[in-house]
Amino acid sequence: MNLENIQNNKIKTILQFSIPSIIAMVLTSLITVADGFFIGNYVGKEGLAAVNLGLPIVYLYLAVGLMVSVGGVATAGMALGGKDIRTCNRIFNQTIGTAVAATVLLSLIMLLCIEPMLQLLDADMQVAGFFKDYYGIMLLELPIMVINTSFGMFIRGEGKPQYFMQVNILSVFLNILLDYLFVRWTDWGVKGVAVSSLLAAVVTLLCILYFFIKKSNVYKFRRFNFSKEVLKDTLLNGSSEFVGEMSMSISMFAYNYVILKNIGVDGVTAFTIVGYIAYLFSMVVIGFGQGASPLISFTYGAKEHLLAASLRKITNFMVLLAGAVLILLVLLGSGWYSSLFVKSNVVEQMVNSGIMIYAASFLFSGINVITSFYFTSIGKAKESAIISSARGLVILLICIFTLPPLLGMTGVWIVAPLTELLTLFLSLFFIEQESKIIQ
């Protein structure tokens, strides 16, 4: 990185760093949207609802996986920076071993929790049946997904992000092709979607193993002695990612519980369909955040505090513009979009009436996320954690448990924009405090 180049080409530099990450994130989100398309059209709204009810399980795996992998790659990266290749490889092997052990144990635990979870949600028999069919197979796929993600971070850490992006592209197309074969032609329903995800994950794992066996220059498979100190550093370094994903898991469970109790299966299905757009937008925003973060860290570390703040402002403007463009697209295509996944007048009416309300959150959520990234990048984890906790847990849960019981499905749609708006005031307060310090 070059300070002068960043100063003279702020927008170009941010885009150069952000676009590859955005592409990778969008590709990942397309798998989820494709799964929803095939389930909605060939299984029905009950299938969509069943898959959405289990999303807290997925976020739980991501919480454990990201804590281990992000913490591990950060610890290994510091050893690599110190040219201690032996320690670097020991951390790599222990991180992968920990990810395998943790996720396999988690699958065994979750296998015992499926029935109690369905009883707590009070899901009807058909939805419960789809839930068991889908997540019975996904409990095999999710550990592989986490392991692939862990490996992918070490591939990036070795400076070969293009390889992992190519593997991701292969995984996306393979997943969609298998969805088409197993759901459209073999009529396997939600089981077919789960099997598609499992097979695509296995192929991805094989490609990754090939990399570390044949192409890797730094990270190699070696025998290692387990280190409690390495485990401690790994978990501490990845703790913020764990908190963030666990917040998503808890809030998603709360959403499903409240919607099922107050509206029913149609409400969960409508929320799932709108959620695909929100998920896609969040991937774009995270891509911008991942691209801007190293630039902000570099300039702030070089004592160019005003330049770091300028990069944050420009990135905030970019995500605000992206949110406005998406709202315009939603306005133009909401009628078509609502009928893309299900053929149910009740669900379509719910989506049409609520999607624009929910979409208003896009104007605020991007700024909140980038601001959180900014404070993390300049070493102010407290401010970042407060913003993330407010929008992902505290304010969100208060809104979830108050608005839908009072306003029905309209209350469900208002939760997101109101949560993001209230969090925005918090973000602006922290930005104002930081501005007084750096000026």
Side-chain angles (χ1 to χ4, degrees):
M1 295 185 193
N2 181 282
L3 276 174
E4 184 178 354
N5 185 55
I6 295 173
Q7 178 70 60
N8 295 331
N9 302 280
K10 298 186 190 76
I11 295 177
K12 181 180 178 181
T13 306
I14 291 171
L15 291 176
Q16 283 177 337
F17 274 71
S18 299
I19 288 176
S21 183
I22 292 171
I23 292 172
M25 289 292 180
V26 170
L27 285 173
T28 300
S29 67
L30 285 179
I31 294 177
T32 302
V33 176
D35 287 350
F37 172 81
F38 285 104
I39 292 173
N41 282 278
Y42 297 104
V43 179
K45 60 184 182 182
E46 292 81 9
L48 276 178
V51 171
N52 192 67
L53 290 181
L55 284 181
I57 297 175
V58 178
Y59 287 121
L60 178 59
Y61 275 89
L62 287 173
V64 173
L66 287 175
M67 177 174 61
V68 173
S69 56
V70 170
V73 78
T75 308
M78 286 185 280
L80 181 61
K83 301 188 184 303
D84 188 350
I85 302 300
R86 184 176 179 182
T87 299
C88 179
N89 265 290
R90 181 162 55 85
I91 296 170
F92 161 66
N93 283 279
Q94 179 167 316
T95 299
I96 298 302
T98 303
V100 172
T103 51
V104 170
L105 178 61
L106 186 58
S107 281
L108 294 175
I109 295 171
M110 292 311 304
L111 193 61
L112 301 175
C113 293
I114 286 180
E115 285 293 346
M117 186 176 177
L118 289 172
Q119 290 174 7
L120 182 60
L121 289 169
D122 195 25
D124 66 42
M125 189 175 298
Q126 188 176 17
V127 172
F130 286 138
F131 184 99
K132 293 175 186 177
D133 288 343
Y134 184 78
Y135 284 100
I137 297 171
M138 290 301 289
L139 290 182
L140 298 174
E141 188 272 347
L142 289 170
I144 301 174
M145 176 198 74
V146 169
I147 293 163
N148 288 343
T149 301
S150 300
F151 274 129
M153 289 186 179
F154 282 99
I155 292 175
R156 290 193 185 101
E158 190 163 315
K160 303 287 180 61
Q162 296 86 356
Y163 183 87
F164 192 59
M165 186 179 73
Q166 291 166 359
V167 171
N168 275 333
I169 292 172
L170 172 64
S171 178
V172 170
F173 284 109
L174 181 60
N175 203 302
I176 293 173
L177 175 62
L178 292 174
D179 275 348
Y180 182 74
L181 292 175
F182 291 145
V183 181
R184 174 67 178 83
W185 291 106
T186 63
D187 199 27
W188 286 6
V190 293
K191 286 184 178 180
V193 173
V195 170
S196 298
S197 298
L198 176 59
L199 292 177
V202 169
V203 171
T204 300
L205 178 59
L206 293 175
C207 293
I208 289 172
L209 291 176
Y210 171 79
F211 173 86
F212 284 103
I213 293 171
K214 296 290 187 181
K215 293 180 173 292
S216 176
N217 296 319
V218 178
Y219 298 111
K220 303 288 186 180
F221 291 121
R222 298 282 189 271
R223 294 183 65 179
F224 66 95
N225 294 320
F226 182 81
S227 168
K228 292 182 180 179
E229 192 64 32
V230 168
L231 179 63
K232 177 185 174 183
D233 291 342
T234 295
L235 298 184
L236 284 175
N237 285 334
S239 59
S240 61
E241 280 72 19
F242 179 82
V243 172
E245 293 300 327
M246 279 304 297
S247 296
M248 290 294 293
S249 179
I250 294 168
S251 62
M252 184 56 67
F253 186 87
Y255 256 125
N256 288 331
Y257 177 81
V258 170
I259 295 173
L260 268 181
K261 184 177 180 180
N262 293 279
I263 294 98
V265 172
D266 288 339
V268 175
T269 306
F271 180 73
T272 304
I273 294 171
V274 174
Y276 290 140
I277 293 181
Y279 182 49
L280 179 64
F281 179 66
S282 71
M283 292 296 101
V284 172
V285 172
I286 290 172
F288 272 114
Q290 290 180 343
S293 288
L295 297 172
I296 292 171
S297 295
F298 178 74
T299 52
Y300 198 89
K303 308 301 181 184
E304 293 287 344
H305 297 166
L306 292 178
L307 177 56
S310 177
L311 293 172
R312 188 255 308 154
K313 291 177 184 177
I314 292 171
T315 309
N316 273 338
F317 177 76
M318 287 179 176
V319 296
L320 177 64
L321 183 61
V325 170
L326 187 55
I327 289 175
L328 179 61
L329 293 175
V330 167
L331 181 63
L332 296 174
S334 60
W336 165 81
Y337 178 76
S338 62
S339 63
L340 184 63
F341 294 91
V342 293
K343 300 297 183 283
S344 167
N345 290 332
V346 174
V347 173
E348 287 183 36
Q349 287 173 5
M350 284 184 179
V351 173
N352 287 334
S353 63
I355 193 168
M356 283 306 301
I357 300 174
Y358 191 99
S361 66
F362 301 157
L363 293 175
F364 316 123
S365 62
I367 296 174
N368 290 328
V369 171
I370 297 302
T371 303
S372 179
F373 266 107
Y374 171 74
F375 282 111
T376 297
S377 301
I378 64 173
K380 297 195 174 183
K382 183 183 74 173
E383 288 84 348
S384 176
I386 291 173
I387 293 170
S388 296
S389 298
R391 67 182 294 270
L393 197 63
V394 181
I395 297 175
L396 182 63
L397 287 182
I398 293 172
C399 292
I400 287 173
F401 283 108
T402 55
L403 295 177
L406 292 174
L407 302 173
M409 201 63 196
T410 301
V412 172
W413 303 129
I414 293 175
V415 166
L418 181 59
T419 297
E420 297 294 353
L421 178 60
L422 294 175
T423 305
L424 179 63
F425 292 122
L426 192 61
S427 297
L428 294 176
F429 169 76
F430 285 132
I431 288 173
E432 179 64 23
Q433 295 298 110
E434 175 65 17
S435 298
K436 292 178 182 178
I437 296 173
I438 64 177
Q439 286 179 349

